[in-house]
Amino acid sequence: MDRLSGLDASFLYLETPAQLMHVCGLFVLDPSTMPEPYSFRRVQDQIEQAVRDVPTFTRKLRRVPLGLDHPVWVPDRSFDIERHVHRLALPTPGGYEELTSLTAHLAGLPLDRSRPLWEMWVIEGYDDGKVVVFSKMHHATVDGVSGSNLISHLCSLSPTDAPLQLEEPQPHGREAGPMELLGRGVLTNLTKPVAVAKLVTPTTQLVSRTVGRARAGTAMAAPLTAPRTSFNGTITGHRSIGFIDIDLEDVREVKNATGTTVNDVVLALAGGALRSYLEDRGELPEESLLATVPVSVHSSTRRTSGANKVSALFTKLATDLDDPLERLAELSERNKHAKDHHNAISADSLQDWAEFAAPRTFGLAVRAYAGLGLADRLPVAHNLVISNVPGPPVPLYLCGARIEALYPLGPVFHGAGLNITVLSNAGQLHVGAIACRESVPDTDALVQRFPAELATLKAAVAARDLTLPLRRRRGRKPAPAPEA
């Protein structure tokens, strides 16, 4: 029996008509590399052949009677590729504006929970002959790493190669009847007090260590300390989308010259772009914006089941600093503390506590939070989500068409209506941003600032005295590391 983990199920419980919990991807394809002339039917058939042996694409949800436990996955015996891979064409002239308008509309449509939780839209007529594939997969089925692996399963290393295979076969779990599901649900609820008791002691110790780190100045940034911006409030189901490319080699040059990391540089670019965007709108807060950064724990978790193996850390983006090098230095130092703090936390802590998410209680709480407009009244937990997902270092092909760009788009939440995701692919960093349209109607105006921020940062690196260390904020002294 393939039961959803608590963390996977939480993304189902979090979902409302405005807060949609699917992950999107926008693939720009060059059909000129296809061995045979492009046709939608051929693409649809090849996708069907690739997904038939992957349960993630061919399973659907089954609720446990009375909602006593998290749902389970069962095979969709009536799986039909035509319900998942659709065809559209852009209106003339078929450019960037038409594509972002259409995909923003598609991103705002919920997935049908009576079928496997994914869709693809093959969009023709983009940019003088390009084809775009817009994909949607529910967060209950994938996280950043597992989603990237699944997409790779549909791709090949050359136009004529067969699609890449998953490392291990993924057979469907055994189907359980209603009475077995009911019995397991009752048993799970009876054992919850014991499971909670086992988590209390390590959680108390974690809180104590966190307090010590905070006093020493080496803790990650705390939630509920973010300033309020125009994208921190109750969201609607309308979406806006923007995307752009930046050169990965330029990012690496800055990284190497400053002794930082690619992730530090990406966050510094995001901080600079957000600062410029808010400043132009007359909305720049005096305090730094606070970002949630998802972190994969696939390599360190003890859990073998569940699609989502992810944790998160909080980091200040230094949007209160005008100097790009000082911003990068501040971010680098904060990120080191945040990573050390995060590494001291069990990789399974979030997943362990998520097991106690009650379907009805969780869903009612989310709807009450949105209905009462609490996101507009309570302190801001975080301003936005920023993800940096490693992608393939070599070109990939989908149905023989070269993937020129792949823009990832994550979900947005009440209280944090903006998500920026960056994915590396064959020497490029593809930046995708998605937002609540009422909060950020001009998402493109934000992402278009990334190349300018990178150019400014490169110029600042070239102009600085390389004999001097990268500057931190004046007056800030590194605190001694706390005892383990």
Side-chain angles (χ1 to χ4, degrees):
M1 184 176 66
D2 197 358
R3 170 184 174 274
L4 273 74
S5 71
L7 188 55
D8 292 349
S10 295
F11 289 107
L12 296 174
Y13 310 151
L14 281 168
E15 190 163 58
T16 70
Q19 186 170 272
L20 298 170
M21 290 291 105
H22 48 244
V23 180
C24 303
L26 194 157
F27 301 73
V28 179
L29 307 180
D30 178 6
S32 68
T33 64
M34 301 179 76
E36 300 180 51
Y38 163 81
S39 77
F40 167 74
R41 180 62 62 187
R42 186 176 296 111
V43 169
Q44 188 183 56
D45 290 344
Q46 290 187 23
I47 292 175
E48 180 178 22
Q49 293 174 15
V51 304
R52 277 287 180 182
D53 61 339
V54 184
T56 304
F57 289 104
T58 57
R59 65 188 182 183
K60 62 182 182 178
L61 293 169
R62 175 175 292 171
R63 293 181 64 251
V64 172
L66 305 179
L68 291 177
D69 198 4
H70 305 311
V72 297
W73 294 113
V74 297
D76 183 5
R77 303 298 181 188
S78 58
F79 175 78
D80 184 352
I81 194 65
E82 293 189 359
R83 294 183 178 271
H84 296 274
V85 181
H86 314 285
R87 182 184 192 184
L88 286 174
L90 287 177
T92 305
Y96 177 89
E97 184 177 345
E98 289 77 21
L99 180 61
T100 53
S101 176
L102 175 59
T103 52
H105 171 72
L106 297 176
L109 302 177
L111 290 165
D112 185 347
R113 292 197 183 184
S114 69
R115 298 196 286 265
L117 297 179
W118 68 280
E119 286 181 338
M120 287 185 179
W121 298 82
V122 180
I123 303 170
E124 301 167 357
Y126 175 61
D127 192 23
D128 193 26
K130 298 289 195 309
V131 174
V132 174
V133 173
F134 186 73
S135 70
K136 295 163 56 176
M137 299 192 74
H138 202 283
H139 220 320
T141 67
V142 293
D143 61 13
V145 171
S146 60
S148 180
N149 291 339
L150 278 173
I151 293 300
S152 295
H153 177 72
L154 305 179
C155 301
S156 59
L157 297 176
S158 79
T160 56
D161 285 347
L164 301 171
Q165 297 298 311
L166 296 178
E167 292 181 1
E168 297 179 2
Q170 296 180 318
H172 279 289
R174 178 181 59 85
E175 289 192 63
M179 293 307 297
E180 181 181 350
L181 292 176
L182 179 62
R184 285 180 176 270
V186 171
L187 181 62
T188 297
N189 280 272
L190 290 175
T191 58
K192 276 185 178 180
V194 176
V196 170
K198 291 181 179 179
L199 292 177
V200 169
T201 298
T203 301
T204 303
Q205 294 172 345
L206 171 62
V207 172
S208 176
R209 290 195 298 269
T210 297
V211 171
R213 284 180 175 272
R215 289 174 177 171
T218 59
M220 73 173 75
L224 300 173
T225 60
R228 186 171 293 280
T229 71
S230 55
F231 43 83
N232 298 123
T234 303
I235 64 174
T236 72
H238 300 145
R239 297 291 177 263
S240 62
I241 285 176
F243 57 85
I244 201 164
D245 300 329
I246 54 179
D247 195 308
L248 178 57
E249 189 55 39
D250 287 345
V251 171
R252 285 175 174 159
E253 284 182 17
V254 173
K255 183 257 303 184
N256 293 335
T258 56
T260 57
T261 68
V262 168
N263 194 55
D264 293 336
V265 178
V266 168
L267 291 174
L269 295 178
L274 286 161
R275 175 185 169 87
S276 171
Y277 173 80
L278 291 172
E279 197 169 35
D280 285 353
R281 293 167 59 97
E283 299 178 8
L284 181 65
E286 293 184 2
E287 302 172 61
S288 172
L289 298 190
L290 176 67
T292 295
V293 182
V295 178
S296 171
V297 295
H298 278 259
S299 61
S300 54
T301 181
R302 303 184 314 271
R303 292 177 174 270
T304 57
S305 61
N308 283 274
K309 296 181 174 64
V310 66
S311 182
L313 57 81
F314 297 93
T315 188
K316 297 278 189 178
L317 294 176
T319 53
D320 54 332
L321 300 178
D322 181 49
D323 186 281
L325 280 179
E326 193 173 352
R327 183 183 307 118
L328 177 57
E330 182 80 3
L331 266 164
S332 178
E333 183 183 5
R334 288 185 179 276
N335 286 343
K336 288 174 184 175
H337 293 327
K339 290 172 185 175
D340 289 342
H341 189 175
H342 180 268
N343 291 337
I345 302 172
S346 167
D348 297 317
S349 57
L350 178 60
Q351 298 174 80
D352 290 341
W353 279 108
E355 287 299 323
F356 304 105
R360 292 182 180 176
T361 305
F362 211 86
L364 287 173
V366 172
R367 282 163 174 77
Y369 183 80
L372 296 173
L374 297 181
D376 302 305
R377 305 176 190 176
L378 297 178
V380 178
H382 61 145
N383 295 110
L384 73 158
V385 176
I386 301 180
S387 300
N388 184 12
V389 182
V394 296
L396 291 181
Y397 297 80
L398 180 64
C399 301
R402 188 182 190 276
I403 299 177
E404 292 193 341
L406 201 175
Y407 304 101
L409 304 162
V412 294
F413 303 86
H414 290 297
L418 172 64
N419 184 303
I420 299 174
T421 307
V422 179
L423 183 141
S424 59
N425 171 43
Q428 293 286 309
L429 285 179
H430 304 304
V431 182
I434 184 170
C436 167
R437 191 171 70 197
E438 283 75 11
S439 303
V440 189
D442 50 350
T443 314
D444 180 60
L446 172 60
V447 298
Q448 292 295 332
R449 298 168 192 264
F450 273 75
E453 285 298 321
L454 180 55
T456 300
L457 189 54
K458 282 187 64 180
V461 169
R464 78 182 177 99
D465 186 346
L466 297 180
T467 65
L468 298 176
L470 195 61
R471 293 177 297 164
R472 292 190 295 269
R473 186 198 298 263
R474 292 176 182 174
R476 184 179 180 88
K477 296 181 180 180
E483 296 182 3

